[in-house]
């Protein structure tokens, strides 16, 4: 389900970017002010406003408890993602690829950045969290195996450990007839210690990446607030200067 959702959302994101790049081959300066353009714009704006509601629902306990009685957070997140993508595509169609005003360009840029940042935060953050969980499980298994080998070594003669350390550089000692149980245990301990160090390093790197994505998510929320401000100014300007399709 997660993989299918990722494919669908990725396809929608690529379609949105293709619509944006359409300004290179198509421009309709009066489309945004037409009835069709207005309907697309209003629909897109409503979907974007709906998207912003996900943040307070997720982070304010009183609202979260009230809403999740009816709809799960997972479902709300899916609606948030799809509404953001569809709303952005409607917004791009509404422009008619007319990017002449500074407000229009800022609004379009903010919309694209918010959608792309949400995509990265939603899927890459989840993937990183999943990898951290898997590597922690691997690390736990390696540590358990190392503990067992360490117990085995405690009962082995001390010279066996020294021989195994030498065998770290002379493998023929481990595979030859002179290899003994204690020596093999010491060799396993060395290999396990190396594996633990590698996995531990990978876990720390993934946790660093996860913290970076967490800050990216905060940036996504801030950018969404900026988008709402720009959208509010755009709606005010449209109402202030009049709805052209109502003019005779």
């Amino acid at each position: 389900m997660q993989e299918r959702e990722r494919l669908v959302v990725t396809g929608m994101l690529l379609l949105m970017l293709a619509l944006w790049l359409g300004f290179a081959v198509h421009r309709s300066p009066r489309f945004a002010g037409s009835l069709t353009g207005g309907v697309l714009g209003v629909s897109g704006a409503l979907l974007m406003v709906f998207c912003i509601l996900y943040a307070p629902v997720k982070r304010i306990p009183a609202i979260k408890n009230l809403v999740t009685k009816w709809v799960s957070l997972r479902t709300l997140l899916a609606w948030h993602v799809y509404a953001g993508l569809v709303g952005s595509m409607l917004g791009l169609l509404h422009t008619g690829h007319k990017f002449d005003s500074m407000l229009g360009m800022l609004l379009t840029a903010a919309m694209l950045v918010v959608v792309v940042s949400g995509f990265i935060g939603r899927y890459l953050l989840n993937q990183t969290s999943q990898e951290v969980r898997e590597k922690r499980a691997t690390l736990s298994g390696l540590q358990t195996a190392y503990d067992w080998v360490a117990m085995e070594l405690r009962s082995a003669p001390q010279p066996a450990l020294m021989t195994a350390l030498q065998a770290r550089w002379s493998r023929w000692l481990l595979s030859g007839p002179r290899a003994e149980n204690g020596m093999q245990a010491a060799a396993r301990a060395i290999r396990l210690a190396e594996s633990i160090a590698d996995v531990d390093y990978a876990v720390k790197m993934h946790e660093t990446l996860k913290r970076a994505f967490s800050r990216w998510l905060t940036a996504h929320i801030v950018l969404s607030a900026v988008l709402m401000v720009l959208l509010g100014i755009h709606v005010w300007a449209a109402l202030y200067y009049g709805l052209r399709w109502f003019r005779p």
Side-chain angles (χ1 to χ4, degrees):
M1 183 64 184
Q2 179 74 15
E3 187 61 28
R4 182 192 301 177
E5 177 188 314
R6 185 182 312 205
L7 288 174
V8 171
V9 171
T10 301
M12 293 177 71
L13 180 69
L14 293 176
L15 177 60
M16 184 198 73
L17 295 175
L19 286 174
W20 169 60
L21 292 173
F23 74 88
V25 295
H26 168 264
R27 289 191 184 187
S28 179
R30 295 186 62 82
F31 181 75
S34 67
L35 178 59
T36 304
V39 170
L40 291 175
V42 171
S43 302
L46 290 175
L47 286 173
M48 282 186 254
V49 171
F50 172 79
C51 285
I52 204 71
L53 297 178
Y54 176 74
V57 170
K58 183 180 178 181
R59 289 170 174 77
I60 300 176
I63 300 177
K64 180 179 178 180
N65 293 335
L66 180 65
V67 173
T68 51
K69 290 180 182 177
W70 307 96
V71 185
S72 68
L73 269 182
R74 184 181 180 83
T75 302
L76 281 175
L77 178 58
W79 291 355
H80 170 82
V81 172
Y82 289 120
L85 283 164
V86 175
S88 300
M89 285 190 278
L90 293 179
L92 287 171
L93 291 173
H94 161 72
T95 65
H97 295 128
K98 176 191 174 185
F99 302 121
D100 292 338
S101 71
M102 181 58 70
L103 177 60
M105 288 189 287
L106 287 175
L107 181 57
T108 303
M111 188 171 64
L112 294 174
V113 171
V114 166
V115 172
V116 173
S117 66
F119 176 83
I120 292 174
R122 168 79 175 94
Y123 295 104
L124 293 189
L125 181 60
N126 273 359
Q127 184 176 348
T128 302
S129 299
Q130 177 65 27
E131 288 178 357
V132 168
R133 285 194 293 272
E134 291 175 355
K135 290 192 182 303
R136 279 180 176 163
T138 302
L139 184 61
S140 177
L142 288 171
Q143 287 175 335
T144 301
Y146 181 84
D147 290 342
W148 279 103
V149 174
M151 290 177 61
E152 189 177 339
L153 275 175
R154 289 192 194 99
S155 61
Q158 189 65 20
L161 175 60
M162 296 305 297
T163 306
L165 290 172
Q166 294 170 358
R168 175 70 176 82
W169 310 103
S170 307
R171 290 184 176 277
W172 65 273
L173 285 174
L174 297 177
S175 56
R178 296 168 57 186
E180 299 176 356
N181 290 338
M183 185 178 65
Q184 291 174 351
R188 286 203 307 275
I190 293 171
R191 287 196 294 271
L192 285 169
E194 290 174 343
S195 299
I196 288 171
D198 290 342
V199 176
D200 186 57
Y201 177 76
V203 168
K204 288 178 180 174
M205 290 301 296
H206 278 82
E207 286 177 339
T208 301
L209 191 60
K210 185 179 176 182
R211 284 195 292 274
F213 279 132
S214 297
R215 287 192 287 272
W216 183 274
L217 196 58
T218 302
H220 172 69
I221 294 172
V222 172
L223 288 168
S224 299
V226 172
L227 172 62
M228 286 299 106
V229 172
L230 293 173
L231 182 62
I233 296 174
H234 177 67
V235 172
W236 170 83
L239 294 174
Y240 182 79
Y241 291 107
L243 302 174
R244 199 160 51 228
W245 58 83
F246 287 136
R247 292 178 180 176

